[in-house]
Amino acid sequence: MALERTLSIIKPDAVSKNVIGEIYARFEKNGLSVVAAKMMQLSQEQAEGFYAEHKERPFFNDLVSFMTSGPVMVQALEGDNAIAKNRELMGATDPQKADAGTIRADYATSVDANAVHGSDAPESASREIAFFFEDSELCPRG
Ligand code: RTP
Ligand code: MG
């Protein structure tokens, strides 16, 4: 199996529900280790830049507005097949379609307020980790 890194964001809805620790526990119980983390309030420019790939989508303004509505917890996760593993733990984008026991099934309330973000491919993982963290801020756990 490949040791990978992925970018995870605990979105404003989950931060406000005070479940950062519950979500970190799911990562850790499933072989993912936090190798960098920061809590931050995203600016409009940061949210627009992070989600630039969705700029033409009808939900873009709502997404940027939601992501800037409160603090987020941003982390790089490392582990075997970390990208797919994190997506599996997150569940489907729409919490009503998310499998039971996934983060979104348990903590999300809508497609907008869906608790977590996770990179969807190696290229986006590299780009998204670099968006938030300098190389020197990553602490490999091996
Ligand atoms: P994410 O990027 O946040 O991990 O979520 P995802 O891959 O499951 O979903 P994606 O297609 O990348 O969309 C990014 C975020 O935009 C919001 N969205 N709203 N109203 C809608 O139809 C719609 N579709 C997507 C969601 O918050 C989604 O997480
Ligand atoms: Mg996505």
PDB file of all heavy atoms in Angstrom, residues 7-9 11 50-51 53-54 57-60 62-64 66-67 86-87 90-94 104 110-120 128, ligand 1:
ATOM      1  N   LEU A   7      -5.286  16.424   2.227  1.00  0.00           N
ATOM      2  CA  LEU A   7      -5.663  17.650   2.954  1.00  0.00           C
ATOM      3  C   LEU A   7      -7.097  17.482   3.437  1.00  0.00           C
ATOM      4  O   LEU A   7      -7.994  17.160   2.644  1.00  0.00           O
ATOM      5  CB  LEU A   7      -5.521  18.852   2.033  1.00  0.00           C
ATOM      6  CG  LEU A   7      -5.552  20.283   2.597  1.00  0.00           C
ATOM      7  CD1 LEU A   7      -6.963  20.793   2.820  1.00  0.00           C
ATOM      8  CD2 LEU A   7      -4.760  20.417   3.908  1.00  0.00           C
ATOM      9  N   SER A   8      -7.288  17.713   4.708  1.00  0.00           N
ATOM     10  CA  SER A   8      -8.611  17.614   5.325  1.00  0.00           C
ATOM     11  C   SER A   8      -8.973  18.962   5.930  1.00  0.00           C
ATOM     12  O   SER A   8      -8.110  19.653   6.475  1.00  0.00           O
ATOM     13  CB  SER A   8      -8.557  16.535   6.420  1.00  0.00           C
ATOM     14  OG  SER A   8      -9.590  16.709   7.365  1.00  0.00           O
ATOM     15  N   ILE A   9     -10.237  19.344   5.800  1.00  0.00           N
ATOM     16  CA  ILE A   9     -10.735  20.541   6.494  1.00  0.00           C
ATOM     17  C   ILE A   9     -11.978  20.148   7.286  1.00  0.00           C
ATOM     18  O   ILE A   9     -12.900  19.540   6.728  1.00  0.00           O
ATOM     19  CB  ILE A   9     -11.109  21.674   5.512  1.00  0.00           C
ATOM     20  CG1 ILE A   9      -9.915  22.073   4.645  1.00  0.00           C
ATOM     21  CG2 ILE A   9     -11.645  22.892   6.281  1.00  0.00           C
ATOM     22  CD1 ILE A   9     -10.237  23.144   3.603  1.00  0.00           C
ATOM     23  N   LYS A  11     -15.088  21.696   8.549  1.00  0.00           N
ATOM     24  CA  LYS A  11     -15.780  22.913   8.097  1.00  0.00           C
ATOM     25  C   LYS A  11     -16.461  23.624   9.275  1.00  0.00           C
ATOM     26  O   LYS A  11     -16.605  23.053  10.367  1.00  0.00           O
ATOM     27  CB  LYS A  11     -16.784  22.528   6.998  1.00  0.00           C
ATOM     28  CG  LYS A  11     -16.112  21.971   5.719  1.00  0.00           C
ATOM     29  CD  LYS A  11     -17.143  21.740   4.608  1.00  0.00           C
ATOM     30  CE  LYS A  11     -16.496  21.205   3.345  1.00  0.00           C
ATOM     31  NZ  LYS A  11     -17.465  21.089   2.220  1.00  0.00           N
ATOM     32  N   PHE A  50      -9.024  28.504  -2.752  1.00  0.00           N
ATOM     33  CA  PHE A  50      -9.002  27.073  -2.447  1.00  0.00           C
ATOM     34  C   PHE A  50      -9.973  26.314  -3.355  1.00  0.00           C
ATOM     35  O   PHE A  50      -9.677  25.216  -3.819  1.00  0.00           O
ATOM     36  CB  PHE A  50      -9.344  26.839  -0.976  1.00  0.00           C
ATOM     37  CG  PHE A  50      -9.286  25.393  -0.598  1.00  0.00           C
ATOM     38  CD1 PHE A  50      -8.063  24.760  -0.442  1.00  0.00           C
ATOM     39  CD2 PHE A  50     -10.441  24.651  -0.442  1.00  0.00           C
ATOM     40  CE1 PHE A  50      -7.994  23.406  -0.132  1.00  0.00           C
ATOM     41  CE2 PHE A  50     -10.384  23.304  -0.127  1.00  0.00           C
ATOM     42  CZ  PHE A  50      -9.161  22.685   0.026  1.00  0.00           C
ATOM     43  N   TYR A  51     -11.152  26.893  -3.586  1.00  0.00           N
ATOM     44  CA  TYR A  51     -12.189  26.216  -4.376  1.00  0.00           C
ATOM     45  C   TYR A  51     -12.247  26.720  -5.822  1.00  0.00           C
ATOM     46  O   TYR A  51     -13.290  26.602  -6.473  1.00  0.00           O
ATOM     47  CB  TYR A  51     -13.552  26.390  -3.700  1.00  0.00           C
ATOM     48  CG  TYR A  51     -13.789  25.443  -2.539  1.00  0.00           C
ATOM     49  CD1 TYR A  51     -13.981  25.916  -1.246  1.00  0.00           C
ATOM     50  CD2 TYR A  51     -13.849  24.057  -2.733  1.00  0.00           C
ATOM     51  CE1 TYR A  51     -14.215  25.043  -0.176  1.00  0.00           C
ATOM     52  CE2 TYR A  51     -14.083  23.188  -1.684  1.00  0.00           C
ATOM     53  CZ  TYR A  51     -14.265  23.681  -0.415  1.00  0.00           C
ATOM     54  OH  TYR A  51     -14.509  22.801   0.626  1.00  0.00           O
ATOM     55  N   GLU A  53     -11.422  25.563  -8.562  1.00  0.00           N
ATOM     56  CA  GLU A  53     -11.895  24.597  -9.572  1.00  0.00           C
ATOM     57  C   GLU A  53     -13.424  24.627  -9.713  1.00  0.00           C
ATOM     58  O   GLU A  53     -13.976  24.179 -10.719  1.00  0.00           O
ATOM     59  CB  GLU A  53     -11.436  23.177  -9.222  1.00  0.00           C
ATOM     60  CG  GLU A  53     -12.079  22.638  -7.962  1.00  0.00           C
ATOM     61  CD  GLU A  53     -11.540  21.278  -7.511  1.00  0.00           C
ATOM     62  OE1 GLU A  53     -11.563  20.336  -8.307  1.00  0.00           O
ATOM     63  OE2 GLU A  53     -11.107  21.172  -6.346  1.00  0.00           O
ATOM     64  N   HIS A  54     -14.125  25.137  -8.683  1.00  0.00           N
ATOM     65  CA  HIS A  54     -15.604  25.165  -8.724  1.00  0.00           C
ATOM     66  C   HIS A  54     -16.153  26.535  -9.110  1.00  0.00           C
ATOM     67  O   HIS A  54     -17.353  26.777  -8.973  1.00  0.00           O
ATOM     68  CB  HIS A  54     -16.173  24.784  -7.349  1.00  0.00           C
ATOM     69  CG  HIS A  54     -15.891  23.372  -6.945  1.00  0.00           C
ATOM     70  ND1 HIS A  54     -16.137  22.295  -7.766  1.00  0.00           N
ATOM     71  CD2 HIS A  54     -15.378  22.852  -5.801  1.00  0.00           C
ATOM     72  CE1 HIS A  54     -15.786  21.171  -7.140  1.00  0.00           C
ATOM     73  NE2 HIS A  54     -15.315  21.481  -5.957  1.00  0.00           N
ATOM     74  N   ARG A  57     -19.326  26.845 -11.019  1.00  0.00           N
ATOM     75  CA  ARG A  57     -20.473  26.027 -10.581  1.00  0.00           C
ATOM     76  C   ARG A  57     -21.511  26.911  -9.900  1.00  0.00           C
ATOM     77  O   ARG A  57     -21.177  27.923  -9.264  1.00  0.00           O
ATOM     78  CB  ARG A  57     -20.023  24.936  -9.602  1.00  0.00           C
ATOM     79  CG  ARG A  57     -18.855  24.091 -10.096  1.00  0.00           C
ATOM     80  CD  ARG A  57     -19.273  23.022 -11.086  1.00  0.00           C
ATOM     81  NE  ARG A  57     -19.982  21.925 -10.444  1.00  0.00           N
ATOM     82  CZ  ARG A  57     -19.384  20.900  -9.827  1.00  0.00           C
ATOM     83  NH1 ARG A  57     -18.069  20.849  -9.736  1.00  0.00           N
ATOM     84  NH2 ARG A  57     -20.103  19.932  -9.307  1.00  0.00           N
ATOM     85  N   PRO A  58     -22.797  26.551 -10.015  1.00  0.00           N
ATOM     86  CA  PRO A  58     -23.859  27.397  -9.445  1.00  0.00           C
ATOM     87  C   PRO A  58     -23.777  27.546  -7.927  1.00  0.00           C
ATOM     88  O   PRO A  58     -24.273  28.529  -7.374  1.00  0.00           O
ATOM     89  CB  PRO A  58     -25.158  26.687  -9.864  1.00  0.00           C
ATOM     90  CG  PRO A  58     -24.759  25.314 -10.282  1.00  0.00           C
ATOM     91  CD  PRO A  58     -23.319  25.385 -10.739  1.00  0.00           C
ATOM     92  N   PHE A  59     -23.147  26.579  -7.268  1.00  0.00           N
ATOM     93  CA  PHE A  59     -23.096  26.625  -5.803  1.00  0.00           C
ATOM     94  C   PHE A  59     -21.867  27.372  -5.275  1.00  0.00           C
ATOM     95  O   PHE A  59     -21.667  27.455  -4.061  1.00  0.00           O
ATOM     96  CB  PHE A  59     -23.145  25.208  -5.219  1.00  0.00           C
ATOM     97  CG  PHE A  59     -22.041  24.288  -5.690  1.00  0.00           C
ATOM     98  CD1 PHE A  59     -20.765  24.353  -5.146  1.00  0.00           C
ATOM     99  CD2 PHE A  59     -22.285  23.339  -6.675  1.00  0.00           C
ATOM    100  CE1 PHE A  59     -19.744  23.512  -5.570  1.00  0.00           C
ATOM    101  CE2 PHE A  59     -21.269  22.491  -7.112  1.00  0.00           C
ATOM    102  CZ  PHE A  59     -20.001  22.580  -6.546  1.00  0.00           C
ATOM    103  N   PHE A  60     -21.033  27.938  -6.177  1.00  0.00           N
ATOM    104  CA  PHE A  60     -19.750  28.518  -5.748  1.00  0.00           C
ATOM    105  C   PHE A  60     -19.909  29.611  -4.684  1.00  0.00           C
ATOM    106  O   PHE A  60     -19.223  29.593  -3.655  1.00  0.00           O
ATOM    107  CB  PHE A  60     -18.996  29.059  -6.969  1.00  0.00           C
ATOM    108  CG  PHE A  60     -17.638  29.623  -6.636  1.00  0.00           C
ATOM    109  CD1 PHE A  60     -16.589  28.790  -6.252  1.00  0.00           C
ATOM    110  CD2 PHE A  60     -17.397  30.989  -6.705  1.00  0.00           C
ATOM    111  CE1 PHE A  60     -15.327  29.301  -5.952  1.00  0.00           C
ATOM    112  CE2 PHE A  60     -16.136  31.512  -6.401  1.00  0.00           C
ATOM    113  CZ  PHE A  60     -15.111  30.662  -6.021  1.00  0.00           C
ATOM    114  N   ASP A  62     -22.360  30.235  -2.606  1.00  0.00           N
ATOM    115  CA  ASP A  62     -22.842  29.669  -1.336  1.00  0.00           C
ATOM    116  C   ASP A  62     -21.706  28.937  -0.619  1.00  0.00           C
ATOM    117  O   ASP A  62     -21.591  29.004   0.609  1.00  0.00           O
ATOM    118  CB  ASP A  62     -23.981  28.671  -1.580  1.00  0.00           C
ATOM    119  CG  ASP A  62     -25.281  29.374  -1.954  1.00  0.00           C
ATOM    120  OD1 ASP A  62     -25.370  30.600  -1.750  1.00  0.00           O
ATOM    121  OD2 ASP A  62     -26.189  28.686  -2.446  1.00  0.00           O
ATOM    122  N   LEU A  63     -20.884  28.237  -1.397  1.00  0.00           N
ATOM    123  CA  LEU A  63     -19.783  27.474  -0.817  1.00  0.00           C
ATOM    124  C   LEU A  63     -18.770  28.424  -0.150  1.00  0.00           C
ATOM    125  O   LEU A  63     -18.361  28.208   1.001  1.00  0.00           O
ATOM    126  CB  LEU A  63     -19.112  26.654  -1.931  1.00  0.00           C
ATOM    127  CG  LEU A  63     -17.863  25.851  -1.581  1.00  0.00           C
ATOM    128  CD1 LEU A  63     -18.162  24.829  -0.487  1.00  0.00           C
ATOM    129  CD2 LEU A  63     -17.326  25.124  -2.825  1.00  0.00           C
ATOM    130  N   VAL A  64     -18.404  29.495  -0.855  1.00  0.00           N
ATOM    131  CA  VAL A  64     -17.446  30.460  -0.311  1.00  0.00           C
ATOM    132  C   VAL A  64     -18.033  31.145   0.922  1.00  0.00           C
ATOM    133  O   VAL A  64     -17.369  31.308   1.956  1.00  0.00           O
ATOM    134  CB  VAL A  64     -17.045  31.489  -1.396  1.00  0.00           C
ATOM    135  CG1 VAL A  64     -16.286  32.659  -0.792  1.00  0.00           C
ATOM    136  CG2 VAL A  64     -16.210  30.798  -2.473  1.00  0.00           C
ATOM    137  N   PHE A  66     -20.297  29.953   2.945  1.00  0.00           N
ATOM    138  CA  PHE A  66     -20.331  29.007   4.070  1.00  0.00           C
ATOM    139  C   PHE A  66     -18.941  28.794   4.665  1.00  0.00           C
ATOM    140  O   PHE A  66     -18.762  28.799   5.896  1.00  0.00           O
ATOM    141  CB  PHE A  66     -20.922  27.658   3.628  1.00  0.00           C
ATOM    142  CG  PHE A  66     -20.857  26.643   4.727  1.00  0.00           C
ATOM    143  CD1 PHE A  66     -21.609  26.801   5.877  1.00  0.00           C
ATOM    144  CD2 PHE A  66     -19.991  25.569   4.639  1.00  0.00           C
ATOM    145  CE1 PHE A  66     -21.511  25.905   6.930  1.00  0.00           C
ATOM    146  CE2 PHE A  66     -19.886  24.669   5.686  1.00  0.00           C
ATOM    147  CZ  PHE A  66     -20.653  24.834   6.829  1.00  0.00           C
ATOM    148  N   MET A  67     -17.944  28.640   3.801  1.00  0.00           N
ATOM    149  CA  MET A  67     -16.589  28.335   4.291  1.00  0.00           C
ATOM    150  C   MET A  67     -15.949  29.497   5.041  1.00  0.00           C
ATOM    151  O   MET A  67     -14.968  29.312   5.761  1.00  0.00           O
ATOM    152  CB  MET A  67     -15.693  27.881   3.134  1.00  0.00           C
ATOM    153  CG  MET A  67     -16.077  26.522   2.568  1.00  0.00           C
ATOM    154  SD  MET A  67     -15.997  25.174   3.770  1.00  0.00           S
ATOM    155  CE  MET A  67     -14.221  24.986   3.946  1.00  0.00           C
ATOM    156  N   ASN A  86      -9.554   8.678   3.645  1.00  0.00           N
ATOM    157  CA  ASN A  86     -10.250   9.832   4.208  1.00  0.00           C
ATOM    158  C   ASN A  86     -11.602  10.025   3.534  1.00  0.00           C
ATOM    159  O   ASN A  86     -12.609  10.302   4.206  1.00  0.00           O
ATOM    160  CB  ASN A  86      -9.381  11.084   4.061  1.00  0.00           C
ATOM    161  CG  ASN A  86     -10.024  12.303   4.676  1.00  0.00           C
ATOM    162  OD1 ASN A  86     -10.596  12.223   5.764  1.00  0.00           O
ATOM    163  ND2 ASN A  86      -9.947  13.436   3.999  1.00  0.00           N
ATOM    164  N   ARG A  87     -11.674   9.845   2.203  1.00  0.00           N
ATOM    165  CA  ARG A  87     -12.954  10.002   1.489  1.00  0.00           C
ATOM    166  C   ARG A  87     -13.962   8.957   1.981  1.00  0.00           C
ATOM    167  O   ARG A  87     -15.152   9.238   2.101  1.00  0.00           O
ATOM    168  CB  ARG A  87     -12.746   9.847  -0.023  1.00  0.00           C
ATOM    169  CG  ARG A  87     -11.807  10.862  -0.644  1.00  0.00           C
ATOM    170  CD  ARG A  87     -12.401  12.219  -0.861  1.00  0.00           C
ATOM    171  NE  ARG A  87     -13.490  12.240  -1.802  1.00  0.00           N
ATOM    172  CZ  ARG A  87     -14.086  13.364  -2.235  1.00  0.00           C
ATOM    173  NH1 ARG A  87     -13.681  14.554  -1.778  1.00  0.00           N
ATOM    174  NH2 ARG A  87     -15.075  13.322  -3.079  1.00  0.00           N
ATOM    175  N   MET A  90     -15.262  10.062   5.285  1.00  0.00           N
ATOM    176  CA  MET A  90     -16.136  11.230   5.158  1.00  0.00           C
ATOM    177  C   MET A  90     -17.553  10.841   4.740  1.00  0.00           C
ATOM    178  O   MET A  90     -18.522  11.414   5.223  1.00  0.00           O
ATOM    179  CB  MET A  90     -15.570  12.183   4.085  1.00  0.00           C
ATOM    180  CG  MET A  90     -14.318  12.917   4.508  1.00  0.00           C
ATOM    181  SD  MET A  90     -13.430  13.630   3.089  1.00  0.00           S
ATOM    182  CE  MET A  90     -14.687  14.651   2.346  1.00  0.00           C
ATOM    183  N   GLY A  91     -17.681   9.926   3.774  1.00  0.00           N
ATOM    184  CA  GLY A  91     -18.995   9.594   3.213  1.00  0.00           C
ATOM    185  C   GLY A  91     -19.361  10.542   2.078  1.00  0.00           C
ATOM    186  O   GLY A  91     -18.626  11.474   1.762  1.00  0.00           O
ATOM    187  N   ALA A  92     -20.525  10.313   1.475  1.00  0.00           N
ATOM    188  CA  ALA A  92     -20.939  11.069   0.290  1.00  0.00           C
ATOM    189  C   ALA A  92     -21.132  12.551   0.601  1.00  0.00           C
ATOM    190  O   ALA A  92     -21.466  12.923   1.730  1.00  0.00           O
ATOM    191  CB  ALA A  92     -22.236  10.480  -0.263  1.00  0.00           C
ATOM    192  N   THR A  93     -20.957  13.392  -0.447  1.00  0.00           N
ATOM    193  CA  THR A  93     -21.076  14.847  -0.318  1.00  0.00           C
ATOM    194  C   THR A  93     -22.414  15.245   0.323  1.00  0.00           C
ATOM    195  O   THR A  93     -22.458  16.123   1.183  1.00  0.00           O
ATOM    196  CB  THR A  93     -20.984  15.498  -1.722  1.00  0.00           C
ATOM    197  OG1 THR A  93     -19.815  14.997  -2.372  1.00  0.00           O
ATOM    198  CG2 THR A  93     -20.916  17.010  -1.631  1.00  0.00           C
ATOM    199  N   ASP A  94     -23.499  14.604  -0.138  1.00  0.00           N
ATOM    200  CA  ASP A  94     -24.835  14.852   0.434  1.00  0.00           C
ATOM    201  C   ASP A  94     -25.018  13.928   1.636  1.00  0.00           C
ATOM    202  O   ASP A  94     -25.078  12.713   1.474  1.00  0.00           O
ATOM    203  CB  ASP A  94     -25.893  14.562  -0.635  1.00  0.00           C
ATOM    204  CG  ASP A  94     -27.309  14.755  -0.111  1.00  0.00           C
ATOM    205  OD1 ASP A  94     -27.492  14.937   1.115  1.00  0.00           O
ATOM    206  OD2 ASP A  94     -28.237  14.713  -0.941  1.00  0.00           O
ATOM    207  N   ARG A 104     -19.935  12.391   7.603  1.00  0.00           N
ATOM    208  CA  ARG A 104     -21.045  13.217   7.129  1.00  0.00           C
ATOM    209  C   ARG A 104     -22.397  12.682   7.580  1.00  0.00           C
ATOM    210  O   ARG A 104     -23.300  13.458   7.906  1.00  0.00           O
ATOM    211  CB  ARG A 104     -20.965  13.364   5.608  1.00  0.00           C
ATOM    212  CG  ARG A 104     -19.878  14.375   5.207  1.00  0.00           C
ATOM    213  CD  ARG A 104     -19.582  14.356   3.740  1.00  0.00           C
ATOM    214  NE  ARG A 104     -18.826  15.521   3.307  1.00  0.00           N
ATOM    215  CZ  ARG A 104     -18.165  15.588   2.156  1.00  0.00           C
ATOM    216  NH1 ARG A 104     -18.170  14.552   1.329  1.00  0.00           N
ATOM    217  NH2 ARG A 104     -17.499  16.669   1.829  1.00  0.00           N
ATOM    218  N   SER A 110     -26.392  19.267   5.730  1.00  0.00           N
ATOM    219  CA  SER A 110     -26.860  19.541   4.369  1.00  0.00           C
ATOM    220  C   SER A 110     -25.676  19.417   3.412  1.00  0.00           C
ATOM    221  O   SER A 110     -24.537  19.244   3.851  1.00  0.00           O
ATOM    222  CB  SER A 110     -27.435  20.959   4.286  1.00  0.00           C
ATOM    223  OG  SER A 110     -26.388  21.901   4.439  1.00  0.00           O
ATOM    224  N   VAL A 111     -25.950  19.547   2.102  1.00  0.00           N
ATOM    225  CA  VAL A 111     -24.861  19.484   1.114  1.00  0.00           C
ATOM    226  C   VAL A 111     -23.877  20.627   1.354  1.00  0.00           C
ATOM    227  O   VAL A 111     -22.681  20.482   1.130  1.00  0.00           O
ATOM    228  CB  VAL A 111     -25.423  19.537  -0.330  1.00  0.00           C
ATOM    229  CG1 VAL A 111     -24.297  19.605  -1.356  1.00  0.00           C
ATOM    230  CG2 VAL A 111     -26.295  18.339  -0.600  1.00  0.00           C
ATOM    231  N   ASP A 112     -24.385  21.765   1.793  1.00  0.00           N
ATOM    232  CA  ASP A 112     -23.488  22.899   2.084  1.00  0.00           C
ATOM    233  C   ASP A 112     -22.754  22.670   3.398  1.00  0.00           C
ATOM    234  O   ASP A 112     -21.525  22.730   3.454  1.00  0.00           O
ATOM    235  CB  ASP A 112     -24.283  24.208   2.158  1.00  0.00           C
ATOM    236  CG  ASP A 112     -24.785  24.629   0.791  1.00  0.00           C
ATOM    237  OD1 ASP A 112     -23.986  24.586  -0.153  1.00  0.00           O
ATOM    238  OD2 ASP A 112     -25.978  24.962   0.678  1.00  0.00           O
ATOM    239  N   ALA A 113     -23.522  22.446   4.437  1.00  0.00           N
ATOM    240  CA  ALA A 113     -22.936  22.260   5.769  1.00  0.00           C
ATOM    241  C   ALA A 113     -22.628  20.784   5.946  1.00  0.00           C
ATOM    242  O   ALA A 113     -23.307  20.059   6.678  1.00  0.00           O
ATOM    243  CB  ALA A 113     -23.903  22.761   6.842  1.00  0.00           C
ATOM    244  N   ASN A 114     -21.576  20.325   5.229  1.00  0.00           N
ATOM    245  CA  ASN A 114     -21.328  18.878   5.213  1.00  0.00           C
ATOM    246  C   ASN A 114     -20.053  18.463   5.962  1.00  0.00           C
ATOM    247  O   ASN A 114     -19.421  17.461   5.637  1.00  0.00           O
ATOM    248  CB  ASN A 114     -21.390  18.315   3.794  1.00  0.00           C
ATOM    249  CG  ASN A 114     -20.296  18.841   2.888  1.00  0.00           C
ATOM    250  OD1 ASN A 114     -19.524  19.699   3.286  1.00  0.00           O
ATOM    251  ND2 ASN A 114     -20.229  18.315   1.679  1.00  0.00           N
ATOM    252  N   ALA A 115     -19.717  19.254   6.971  1.00  0.00           N
ATOM    253  CA  ALA A 115     -18.776  18.854   8.032  1.00  0.00           C
ATOM    254  C   ALA A 115     -17.292  18.791   7.664  1.00  0.00           C
ATOM    255  O   ALA A 115     -16.463  19.210   8.462  1.00  0.00           O
ATOM    256  CB  ALA A 115     -19.204  17.526   8.678  1.00  0.00           C
ATOM    257  N   VAL A 116     -16.980  18.209   6.519  1.00  0.00           N
ATOM    258  CA  VAL A 116     -15.563  17.986   6.203  1.00  0.00           C
ATOM    259  C   VAL A 116     -15.284  18.140   4.705  1.00  0.00           C
ATOM    260  O   VAL A 116     -16.171  17.962   3.876  1.00  0.00           O
ATOM    261  CB  VAL A 116     -15.084  16.574   6.633  1.00  0.00           C
ATOM    262  CG1 VAL A 116     -14.763  16.514   8.110  1.00  0.00           C
ATOM    263  CG2 VAL A 116     -16.087  15.500   6.233  1.00  0.00           C
ATOM    264  N   HIS A 117     -14.030  18.461   4.427  1.00  0.00           N
ATOM    265  CA  HIS A 117     -13.491  18.420   3.066  1.00  0.00           C
ATOM    266  C   HIS A 117     -12.367  17.398   3.049  1.00  0.00           C
ATOM    267  O   HIS A 117     -11.641  17.269   4.027  1.00  0.00           O
ATOM    268  CB  HIS A 117     -12.915  19.786   2.655  1.00  0.00           C
ATOM    269  CG  HIS A 117     -11.996  19.689   1.466  1.00  0.00           C
ATOM    270  ND1 HIS A 117     -12.464  19.703   0.172  1.00  0.00           N
ATOM    271  CD2 HIS A 117     -10.650  19.508   1.380  1.00  0.00           C
ATOM    272  CE1 HIS A 117     -11.438  19.556  -0.653  1.00  0.00           C
ATOM    273  NE2 HIS A 117     -10.322  19.431   0.046  1.00  0.00           N
ATOM    274  N   GLY A 118     -12.180  16.721   1.920  1.00  0.00           N
ATOM    275  CA  GLY A 118     -11.012  15.866   1.741  1.00  0.00           C
ATOM    276  C   GLY A 118     -10.569  15.893   0.304  1.00  0.00           C
ATOM    277  O   GLY A 118     -11.403  15.869  -0.614  1.00  0.00           O
ATOM    278  N   SER A 119      -9.261  15.960   0.067  1.00  0.00           N
ATOM    279  CA  SER A 119      -8.734  15.929  -1.303  1.00  0.00           C
ATOM    280  C   SER A 119      -9.248  14.689  -2.024  1.00  0.00           C
ATOM    281  O   SER A 119      -9.454  13.640  -1.411  1.00  0.00           O
ATOM    282  CB  SER A 119      -7.204  15.872  -1.286  1.00  0.00           C
ATOM    283  OG  SER A 119      -6.668  16.878  -0.477  1.00  0.00           O
ATOM    284  N   ASP A 120      -9.411  14.827  -3.362  1.00  0.00           N
ATOM    285  CA  ASP A 120     -10.003  13.706  -4.102  1.00  0.00           C
ATOM    286  C   ASP A 120      -9.026  12.957  -5.011  1.00  0.00           C
ATOM    287  O   ASP A 120      -9.421  12.011  -5.676  1.00  0.00           O
ATOM    288  CB  ASP A 120     -11.225  14.184  -4.904  1.00  0.00           C
ATOM    289  CG  ASP A 120     -10.908  15.298  -5.882  1.00  0.00           C
ATOM    290  OD1 ASP A 120      -9.709  15.565  -6.122  1.00  0.00           O
ATOM    291  OD2 ASP A 120     -11.863  15.897  -6.416  1.00  0.00           O
ATOM    292  N   GLU A 128      -3.501  21.171  -2.547  1.00  0.00           N
ATOM    293  CA  GLU A 128      -4.241  21.669  -1.375  1.00  0.00           C
ATOM    294  C   GLU A 128      -3.369  21.722  -0.120  1.00  0.00           C
ATOM    295  O   GLU A 128      -3.502  22.642   0.692  1.00  0.00           O
ATOM    296  CB  GLU A 128      -5.476  20.788  -1.151  1.00  0.00           C
ATOM    297  CG  GLU A 128      -6.516  20.976  -2.246  1.00  0.00           C
ATOM    298  CD  GLU A 128      -7.692  20.025  -2.146  1.00  0.00           C
ATOM    299  OE1 GLU A 128      -7.726  19.179  -1.219  1.00  0.00           O
ATOM    300  OE2 GLU A 128      -8.598  20.124  -2.993  1.00  0.00           O
TER     301      GLU A 128
HETATM  302  P1  RTP B   1     -15.225  18.545  -0.606  1.00  0.00           P
HETATM  303  O1  RTP B   1     -14.513  19.034  -1.843  1.00  0.00           O
HETATM  304  O2  RTP B   1     -15.699  19.657   0.298  1.00  0.00           O
HETATM  305  O3  RTP B   1     -14.450  17.494   0.120  1.00  0.00           O
HETATM  306  O4  RTP B   1     -16.556  17.820  -1.042  1.00  0.00           O
HETATM  307  P2  RTP B   1     -16.797  16.842  -2.255  1.00  0.00           P
HETATM  308  O5  RTP B   1     -15.506  16.529  -2.958  1.00  0.00           O
HETATM  309  O6  RTP B   1     -17.582  15.706  -1.715  1.00  0.00           O
HETATM  310  O7  RTP B   1     -17.714  17.728  -3.188  1.00  0.00           O
HETATM  311  P3  RTP B   1     -17.315  18.701  -4.406  1.00  0.00           P
HETATM  312  O8  RTP B   1     -18.022  18.243  -5.618  1.00  0.00           O
HETATM  313  O9  RTP B   1     -15.816  18.880  -4.478  1.00  0.00           O
HETATM  314  O10 RTP B   1     -17.973  20.074  -3.937  1.00  0.00           O
HETATM  315  C1  RTP B   1     -17.335  20.898  -3.003  1.00  0.00           C
HETATM  316  C2  RTP B   1     -18.315  21.333  -1.963  1.00  0.00           C
HETATM  317  O11 RTP B   1     -19.289  22.183  -2.576  1.00  0.00           O
HETATM  318  C3  RTP B   1     -20.545  21.973  -1.974  1.00  0.00           C
HETATM  319  N1  RTP B   1     -21.502  21.537  -2.981  1.00  0.00           N
HETATM  320  N2  RTP B   1     -22.702  22.018  -3.058  1.00  0.00           N
HETATM  321  N3  RTP B   1     -25.357  22.573  -3.839  1.00  0.00           N
HETATM  322  C4  RTP B   1     -24.662  21.641  -4.476  1.00  0.00           C
HETATM  323  O12 RTP B   1     -25.139  20.979  -5.385  1.00  0.00           O
HETATM  324  C5  RTP B   1     -23.298  21.389  -4.067  1.00  0.00           C
HETATM  325  N4  RTP B   1     -22.475  20.531  -4.612  1.00  0.00           N
HETATM  326  C6  RTP B   1     -21.329  20.626  -3.919  1.00  0.00           C
HETATM  327  C7  RTP B   1     -20.392  20.906  -0.919  1.00  0.00           C
HETATM  328  O13 RTP B   1     -20.225  21.539   0.348  1.00  0.00           O
HETATM  329  C8  RTP B   1     -19.124  20.199  -1.329  1.00  0.00           C
HETATM  330  O14 RTP B   1     -18.491  19.626  -0.217  1.00  0.00           O
END
